[in-house]
PDB file of all heavy atoms in Angstrom:
ATOM      1  N   SER U 122      24.337  -5.870  12.969  1.00 98.00           N
ATOM      2  CA  SER U 122      23.497  -5.229  14.002  1.00 98.00           C
ATOM      3  C   SER U 122      22.031  -5.528  13.747  1.00 98.00           C
ATOM      4  O   SER U 122      21.273  -5.773  14.679  1.00 98.00           O
ATOM      5  CB  SER U 122      23.665  -3.711  14.008  1.00 98.00           C
ATOM      6  OG  SER U 122      24.989  -3.348  14.179  1.00 98.00           O
ATOM      7  N   ALA U 123      21.626  -5.487  12.487  1.00 98.00           N
ATOM      8  CA  ALA U 123      20.217  -5.742  12.157  1.00 98.00           C
ATOM      9  C   ALA U 123      19.808  -7.130  12.647  1.00 98.00           C
ATOM     10  O   ALA U 123      18.763  -7.286  13.294  1.00 98.00           O
ATOM     11  CB  ALA U 123      19.987  -5.602  10.656  1.00 98.00           C
ATOM     12  N   ALA U 124      20.636  -8.126  12.369  1.00 98.00           N
ATOM     13  CA  ALA U 124      20.305  -9.499  12.781  1.00 98.00           C
ATOM     14  C   ALA U 124      20.188  -9.589  14.301  1.00 98.00           C
ATOM     15  O   ALA U 124      19.252 -10.184  14.841  1.00 98.00           O
ATOM     16  CB  ALA U 124      21.365 -10.463  12.258  1.00 98.00           C
ATOM     17  N   ARG U 125      21.132  -8.947  15.010  1.00 98.00           N
ATOM     18  CA  ARG U 125      21.123  -8.975  16.478  1.00 98.00           C
ATOM     19  C   ARG U 125      19.894  -8.239  17.026  1.00 98.00           C
ATOM     20  O   ARG U 125      19.206  -8.722  17.925  1.00 98.00           O
ATOM     21  CB  ARG U 125      22.413  -8.321  17.003  1.00 98.00           C
ATOM     22  CG  ARG U 125      22.551  -8.283  18.510  1.00 98.00           C
ATOM     23  CD  ARG U 125      23.862  -7.633  18.949  1.00 98.00           C
ATOM     24  NE  ARG U 125      23.986  -6.255  18.515  1.00 98.00           N
ATOM     25  CZ  ARG U 125      23.361  -5.224  19.094  1.00 98.00           C
ATOM     26  NH1 ARG U 125      22.581  -5.434  20.139  1.00 98.00           N
ATOM     27  NH2 ARG U 125      23.517  -4.003  18.631  1.00 98.00           N
ATOM     28  N   GLU U 126      19.615  -7.074  16.468  1.00 98.00           N
ATOM     29  CA  GLU U 126      18.506  -6.256  16.975  1.00 98.00           C
ATOM     30  C   GLU U 126      17.147  -6.892  16.671  1.00 98.00           C
ATOM     31  O   GLU U 126      16.225  -6.825  17.498  1.00 98.00           O
ATOM     32  CB  GLU U 126      18.595  -4.854  16.365  1.00 98.00           C
ATOM     33  CG  GLU U 126      19.819  -4.101  16.885  1.00 98.00           C
ATOM     34  CD  GLU U 126      20.111  -2.795  16.156  1.00 98.00           C
ATOM     35  OE1 GLU U 126      19.345  -2.426  15.230  1.00 98.00           O
ATOM     36  OE2 GLU U 126      21.103  -2.135  16.518  1.00 98.00           O
ATOM     37  N   ILE U 127      17.017  -7.517  15.495  1.00 98.00           N
ATOM     38  CA  ILE U 127      15.761  -8.194  15.149  1.00 98.00           C
ATOM     39  C   ILE U 127      15.515  -9.333  16.139  1.00 98.00           C
ATOM     40  O   ILE U 127      14.414  -9.472  16.679  1.00 98.00           O
ATOM     41  CB  ILE U 127      15.799  -8.697  13.688  1.00 98.00           C
ATOM     42  CG1 ILE U 127      15.731  -7.502  12.719  1.00 98.00           C
ATOM     43  CG2 ILE U 127      14.660  -9.679  13.417  1.00 98.00           C
ATOM     44  CD1 ILE U 127      16.073  -7.845  11.269  1.00 98.00           C
ATOM     45  N   THR U 128      16.571 -10.108  16.427  1.00 98.00           N
ATOM     46  CA  THR U 128      16.446 -11.239  17.355  1.00 98.00           C
ATOM     47  C   THR U 128      16.134 -10.765  18.772  1.00 98.00           C
ATOM     48  O   THR U 128      15.465 -11.467  19.537  1.00 98.00           O
ATOM     49  CB  THR U 128      17.759 -12.056  17.357  1.00 98.00           C
ATOM     50  OG1 THR U 128      18.028 -12.463  16.022  1.00 98.00           O
ATOM     51  CG2 THR U 128      17.661 -13.277  18.241  1.00 98.00           C
ATOM     52  N   TYR U 129      16.606  -9.550  19.109  1.00 98.00           N
ATOM     53  CA  TYR U 129      16.379  -8.991  20.457  1.00 98.00           C
ATOM     54  C   TYR U 129      14.886  -8.771  20.702  1.00 98.00           C
ATOM     55  O   TYR U 129      14.415  -8.893  21.827  1.00 98.00           O
ATOM     56  CB  TYR U 129      17.152  -7.671  20.571  1.00 98.00           C
ATOM     57  CG  TYR U 129      17.330  -7.138  21.975  1.00 98.00           C
ATOM     58  CD1 TYR U 129      18.322  -7.641  22.809  1.00 98.00           C
ATOM     59  CD2 TYR U 129      16.525  -6.117  22.453  1.00 98.00           C
ATOM     60  CE1 TYR U 129      18.504  -7.139  24.087  1.00 98.00           C
ATOM     61  CE2 TYR U 129      16.691  -5.605  23.744  1.00 98.00           C
ATOM     62  CZ  TYR U 129      17.679  -6.121  24.546  1.00 98.00           C
ATOM     63  OH  TYR U 129      17.853  -5.627  25.809  1.00 98.00           O
ATOM     64  N   PHE U 130      14.136  -8.443  19.651  1.00 98.00           N
ATOM     65  CA  PHE U 130      12.720  -8.087  19.825  1.00 98.00           C
ATOM     66  C   PHE U 130      11.716  -9.044  19.191  1.00 98.00           C
ATOM     67  O   PHE U 130      10.538  -9.004  19.550  1.00 98.00           O
ATOM     68  CB  PHE U 130      12.460  -6.675  19.286  1.00 98.00           C
ATOM     69  CG  PHE U 130      12.994  -5.604  20.184  1.00 98.00           C
ATOM     70  CD1 PHE U 130      14.132  -4.888  19.847  1.00 98.00           C
ATOM     71  CD2 PHE U 130      12.358  -5.314  21.384  1.00 98.00           C
ATOM     72  CE1 PHE U 130      14.625  -3.896  20.686  1.00 98.00           C
ATOM     73  CE2 PHE U 130      12.842  -4.321  22.234  1.00 98.00           C
ATOM     74  CZ  PHE U 130      13.976  -3.613  21.885  1.00 98.00           C
ATOM     75  N   PHE U 131      12.139  -9.862  18.231  1.00 98.00           N
ATOM     76  CA  PHE U 131      11.172 -10.696  17.508  1.00 98.00           C
ATOM     77  C   PHE U 131      11.611 -12.156  17.462  1.00 98.00           C
ATOM     78  O   PHE U 131      12.785 -12.448  17.216  1.00 98.00           O
ATOM     79  CB  PHE U 131      11.013 -10.211  16.059  1.00 98.00           C
ATOM     80  CG  PHE U 131      10.345  -8.876  15.920  1.00 98.00           C
ATOM     81  CD1 PHE U 131      11.109  -7.718  15.751  1.00 98.00           C
ATOM     82  CD2 PHE U 131       8.953  -8.754  15.945  1.00 98.00           C
ATOM     83  CE1 PHE U 131      10.501  -6.468  15.616  1.00 98.00           C
ATOM     84  CE2 PHE U 131       8.342  -7.512  15.807  1.00 98.00           C
ATOM     85  CZ  PHE U 131       9.107  -6.371  15.648  1.00 98.00           C
ATOM     86  N   GLY U 132      10.639 -13.051  17.644  1.00 96.00           N
ATOM     87  CA  GLY U 132      10.865 -14.462  17.349  1.00 96.00           C
ATOM     88  C   GLY U 132      10.605 -14.708  15.872  1.00 96.00           C
ATOM     89  O   GLY U 132       9.898 -13.925  15.229  1.00 96.00           O
ATOM     90  N   GLU U 133      11.176 -15.791  15.320  1.00 90.00           N
ATOM     91  CA  GLU U 133      10.975 -16.097  13.885  1.00 90.00           C
ATOM     92  C   GLU U 133       9.486 -16.145  13.540  1.00 90.00           C
ATOM     93  O   GLU U 133       9.082 -15.702  12.475  1.00 90.00           O
ATOM     94  CB  GLU U 133      11.658 -17.405  13.487  1.00 90.00           C
ATOM     95  CG  GLU U 133      12.991 -17.248  12.768  1.00 90.00           C
ATOM     96  CD  GLU U 133      13.036 -16.169  11.675  1.00 90.00           C
ATOM     97  OE1 GLU U 133      12.138 -16.161  10.795  1.00 90.00           O
ATOM     98  OE2 GLU U 133      13.949 -15.334  11.700  1.00 90.00           O
ATOM     99  N   GLY U 134       8.679 -16.661  14.452  1.00 95.00           N
ATOM    100  CA  GLY U 134       7.245 -16.794  14.200  1.00 95.00           C
ATOM    101  C   GLY U 134       6.490 -15.485  14.120  1.00 95.00           C
ATOM    102  O   GLY U 134       5.332 -15.449  13.705  1.00 95.00           O
ATOM    103  N   GLU U 135       7.143 -14.374  14.497  1.00 97.00           N
ATOM    104  CA  GLU U 135       6.487 -13.057  14.448  1.00 97.00           C
ATOM    105  C   GLU U 135       6.832 -12.308  13.173  1.00 97.00           C
ATOM    106  O   GLU U 135       6.351 -11.192  12.963  1.00 97.00           O
ATOM    107  CB  GLU U 135       6.939 -12.201  15.637  1.00 97.00           C
ATOM    108  CG  GLU U 135       6.473 -12.702  16.983  1.00 97.00           C
ATOM    109  CD  GLU U 135       6.985 -11.801  18.101  1.00 97.00           C
ATOM    110  OE1 GLU U 135       8.188 -11.889  18.426  1.00 97.00           O
ATOM    111  OE2 GLU U 135       6.181 -10.998  18.610  1.00 97.00           O
ATOM    112  N   ILE U 136       7.716 -12.864  12.341  1.00 96.00           N
ATOM    113  CA  ILE U 136       8.172 -12.174  11.131  1.00 96.00           C
ATOM    114  C   ILE U 136       7.501 -12.811   9.927  1.00 96.00           C
ATOM    115  O   ILE U 136       7.566 -14.035   9.749  1.00 96.00           O
ATOM    116  CB  ILE U 136       9.716 -12.240  11.019  1.00 96.00           C
ATOM    117  CG1 ILE U 136      10.361 -11.605  12.249  1.00 96.00           C
ATOM    118  CG2 ILE U 136      10.193 -11.555   9.738  1.00 96.00           C
ATOM    119  CD1 ILE U 136      11.873 -11.768  12.332  1.00 96.00           C
ATOM    120  N   CYS U 137       6.825 -11.975   9.112  1.00 94.00           N
ATOM    121  CA  CYS U 137       6.024 -12.504   7.991  1.00 94.00           C
ATOM    122  C   CYS U 137       6.809 -12.513   6.681  1.00 94.00           C
ATOM    123  O   CYS U 137       7.665 -11.697   6.485  1.00 94.00           O
ATOM    124  CB  CYS U 137       4.763 -11.671   7.815  1.00 94.00           C
ATOM    125  SG  CYS U 137       3.682 -11.835   9.230  1.00 94.00           S
TER     126      CYS U 137
END
Side-chain angles (χ1 to χ4, degrees):
S122 304
R125 180 179 61 77
E126 292 170 1
I127 289 167
T128 303
Y129 195 80
F130 286 106
F131 292 98
E133 259 316 310
E135 293 179 285
I136 301 173
C137 294

